[in-house]
Amino acid sequence: MTAEVAVRVEDKLFYNRYLVDSGRPHIKVRPHTTPTPALRTLLKACPGRCYELNDSGQVEVTVDGCLECGTCRVIGEPTGDIEWSYPRGGYGVLFKFG
Amino acid sequence: MIEEKFDAIVVGAGMAGNAAALTLAKRGLKVLQLERGEYAGSKNVQGAILYADMLEKLVPDFREDAPLERHLVEQRFWMMDDRAHVGLHYRSDDFNEEKPNRYTIIRAQFDKWFSSKVREAGATVLCETTVTELATDAYGKVIGVRTDRYDGEVHADVVVLAEGVNGLLGTRAGLREIPKANNVALAVKEMHFLPRETIESRFNLKGDEGVVIEAAGTISRGMTGLGFIYANKECISLGIGCLVSDFEKTGETPYGLLERFKQHPSVAPMIDGSEVKEYAAHLIPEGGYKAIPQLYGDGWVVVGDAAQLNNAIHREGSNLAMTSGRIAAEAIFQVKSRREPMTKGNLALYKKMLDDSFVIKDLKKYKDMPALLHNQSQSYFLTYPQLVSKAMASFVRVDGTPKIEKEKTTLRSFVSARSWTGLFGDAFRLARAWR
Ligand SMILES: Cc1cc2nc3c(=O)[nH]c(=O)nc-3n(C[C@H](O)[C@H](O)[C@H](O)COP(=O)(O)OP(=O)(O)OC[C@H]3O[C@@H](n4cnc5c(N)ncnc54)[C@H](O)[C@@H]3O)c2cc1C
Ligand code: SF4
């Protein structure tokens, strides 16, 4: 049973409530030409699939669907690949159940 | 900017922060509690089992108005392979007692209620406020916090860091390290809604009785991790978590694991036809005793998940958080009543009191388990569940093979998978770490 199951993460994020702080992303990726191993890891490890490769092969983050778990921070902050903060007070994901 | 000075500032309105703020406010201290979410609980994720005893120490009559889901009468442990599970069920009518011992809860709702008790006790609670930094004096003593709301500082004699597993403030201030990938698990979780009667018939329950299932095995694909299925009144909490370092190593996706867990033939019928209403993710501290950082210093203490006070073996965290929050508050109150300053020397009392409690005693007992499970994750989470399941299949299937042959085949499968030394070594290491 090694077959990958197809999962549409966007659909999952759609269940959630967010208050997006437009123009003030709380996570930033350090500019790079080719992604480091840590950045590559984030493409798969982020539960919100917020990290994606752009057309020129760099890793980009879109924080709109961020679940604020901190996984990317644990992986990418010590290596200097990302800068990580919480969103401003009140913004970001709002769990109704948690 | 708030001009007035507080006796204590509590950062975070989760389990640990609410316990600390409540205890401090009840003792008459002037408390400011800051929470970044829109309301207490809006950022928090849990399975979630609530342990009554630790809450009772804070709110003795909590059963009267706390939002509780079901009291637990049954616990199941599943060892899973791809098609089957071998289970241990413990169910007892004795758990239908007047004051039940464990409940399922929904964290966002529970935290809101807990926070209302903190306000009633007289603390000032400010939500929608992210604390960005600790404020220190020229000697490095913590004297307050900076937030994104006031352009200035708020001051207090002591800051209680109840900021949860990510512990941004403490790590930014160099009081402790960023959690290491092999000391935290990433858990993903969904809420599946079904009519109450459907849940009760699927789980064999009546009234407010509840069941929880913990599952290990091939569902984590050889990574150190667990799945869980908890029955609430009108929904089922279902999730799976594995060490972040294992996600790094394997390249598995968290949502892929969750999806496969849901599709497992033992799980799928339980959630069939449900409506999903939320998808959440959160880290869980799993490093245990050896990962506990410095717990106090000049003008600060750290409690709950931020201090890695979490018992991954027993899936207990909220009760350790509540207890450490309460104990820190009691220590602060003692120092305050002696009219002494909140220095590192005086706040060492918190550590001393915590060492005497079940919190540190339990974590110490299992100090070798995290490393063992991590290093042997392939055996414990992949090989053994498959072997046990195969053994069970052979045991129950009646096909004319003499029993003695079946036993030999089963034994051979264990020995060829792990070798005699491997088997004894695994058993010995597990027993030693458990002791
Ligand atoms: C999937 C999952 C299942 C679990 N199941 C169980 C279970 O069944 N039983 C159990 O006992 N435990 C369980 N746990 C563990 C339990 O949830 C935690 O141990 C507990 O929540 C820790 O409480 P805490 O107060 O330390 O942290 P949290 O509850 O995480 O609270 C931290 C609070 O601080 C706030 N905060 C953080 N930083 C800032 C800042 N800079 N400014 C302002 N506010 C801030 C956050 O918004 C949050 O409200 C589970 C955990 C997970 C993730
Ligand atoms: S915090 Fe979690 S959800 Fe948000 S981007 Fe990082 S890994 Fe993804």
Side-chain angles (χ1 to χ4, degrees), chain B residues 59-183:
Chain B
V59 188
D61 55 358
F62 76 89
R63 291 182 182 84
E64 282 169 21
D65 59 352
L68 305 169
E69 290 289 311
R70 293 176 178 275
H71 68 273
L72 298 177
V73 297
E74 183 171 332
Q75 171 102 32
R76 305 182 190 170
F77 298 99
W78 283 3
M79 202 187 261
M80 305 179 84
D81 74 6
D82 291 341
R83 307 271 309 147
H85 77 265
V86 180
L88 174 75
H89 290 202
Y90 182 67
R91 184 182 176 108
S92 170
D93 198 38
D94 290 348
F95 289 126
N96 279 316
E97 54 208 327
E98 198 192 328
K99 291 190 162 184
N101 178 252
R102 302 187 305 161
Y103 296 88
T104 49
I105 54 165
I106 291 173
R107 261 307 282 277
Q109 295 165 5
F110 180 85
D111 286 12
K112 236 187 205 170
W113 166 85
F114 204 175
S115 179
S116 73
K117 298 286 159 189
V118 175
R119 283 174 212 257
E120 279 168 28
T124 305
V125 183
L126 280 185
C127 290
E128 301 190 291
T129 310
T130 302
V131 180
T132 50
E133 230 180 340
L134 291 175
T136 49
D137 69 10
Y139 305 99
K141 180 182 193 297
V142 173
I143 54 165
V145 300
R146 296 195 188 94
T147 75
D148 63 353
R149 178 150 155 167
Y150 302 97
D151 50 2
E153 299 176 2
V154 200
H155 291 157
D157 292 333
V158 63
V159 174
V160 180
L161 291 164
E163 50 177 336
V165 59
N166 283 309
L168 199 62
L169 300 176
T171 53
R172 273 187 188 164
L175 306 179
R176 66 191 117 86
E177 291 176 5
I178 297 175
K180 291 210 168 58
N182 59 0
N183 281 340

Side-chain angles (χ1 to χ4, degrees), chain A:
Chain A
M1 261 215 356
T2 43
E4 258 320 302
V5 280
V7 190
R8 284 178 52 88
V9 183
E10 314 83 81
D11 293 349
K12 286 185 184 294
L13 300 178
F14 202 67
Y15 305 134
N16 298 346
R17 255 177 81 215
Y18 290 96
L19 189 61
V20 177
D21 199 358
S22 310
R24 297 178 74 146
H26 59 280
I27 304 170
K28 290 186 185 120
V29 176
R30 185 177 59 177
H32 56 277
T33 39
T34 44
T36 60
L39 285 176
R40 291 207 154 271
T41 303
L42 297 183
L43 298 173
K44 290 201 148 182
C46 167
R49 195 138 74 200
C50 299
Y51 290 86
E52 265 172 333
L53 275 181
N54 66 17
D55 293 340
S56 3
Q58 282 103 37
V59 173
E60 278 181 357
V61 63
T62 313
V63 299
D64 295 9
C66 175
L67 299 151
E68 296 164 34
C69 66
T71 303
C72 58
R73 175 187 182 224
V74 168
I75 296 171
E77 195 176 278
T79 57
D81 284 304
I82 64 166
E83 269 177 51
W84 194 90
S85 286
Y86 284 121
R88 273 198 294 163
Y91 288 94
V93 71
L94 288 157
F95 294 124
K96 278 183 301 223
F97 308 105

Side-chain angles (χ1 to χ4, degrees), chain B residues 249-392:
Chain B
K249 245 188 316 202
T250 59
E252 292 284 344
T253 63
Y255 33 86
L257 283 189
L258 183 64
E259 224 46 41
R260 269 192 306 269
F261 184 43
K262 280 159 56 183
Q263 286 170 14
H264 190 283
S266 299
V267 178
M270 293 183 155
I271 51 168
D272 185 38
S274 68
E275 187 192 348
V276 181
K277 291 200 182 167
E278 194 163 85
Y279 169 64
H282 205 275
L283 295 179
I284 309 177
E286 303 248 323
Y289 185 74
K290 291 180 176 166
I292 299 174
Q294 172 68 27
L295 293 171
Y296 59 92
D298 281 324
W300 63 273
V301 292
V302 57
V303 294
D305 276 9
Q308 290 265 339
L309 302 175
N310 203 304
N311 185 340
I313 307 298
H314 286 259
R315 298 214 121 223
E316 290 176 30
S318 65
N319 54 334
L320 278 64
M322 279 191 255
T323 305
S324 60
R326 175 176 59 78
I327 289 178
E330 281 167 3
I332 288 169
F333 176 70
Q334 283 195 32
V335 175
K336 178 92 186 165
S337 7
R338 293 200 301 258
R339 294 173 185 281
E340 286 183 16
M342 297 292 161
T343 57
K344 186 171 182 177
N346 286 334
L347 290 170
L349 179 62
Y350 160 47
K351 172 78 171 28
K352 198 181 155 295
M353 288 165 70
L354 201 64
D355 282 345
D356 288 338
S357 73
F358 81 95
V359 174
I360 299 293
K361 284 187 182 151
D362 281 3
L363 291 176
K364 212 172 196 168
K365 174 177 183 325
Y366 295 118
K367 64 184 186 321
D368 296 322
M369 283 298 274
L372 174 67
L373 292 180
H374 188 199
N375 295 335
Q376 303 278 326
S377 66
Q378 289 283 332
S379 310
Y380 292 126
F381 294 93
L382 209 56
T383 315
Y384 285 124
Q386 282 168 330
L387 288 170
V388 170
S389 176
K390 227 163 91 185
M392 268 323 276

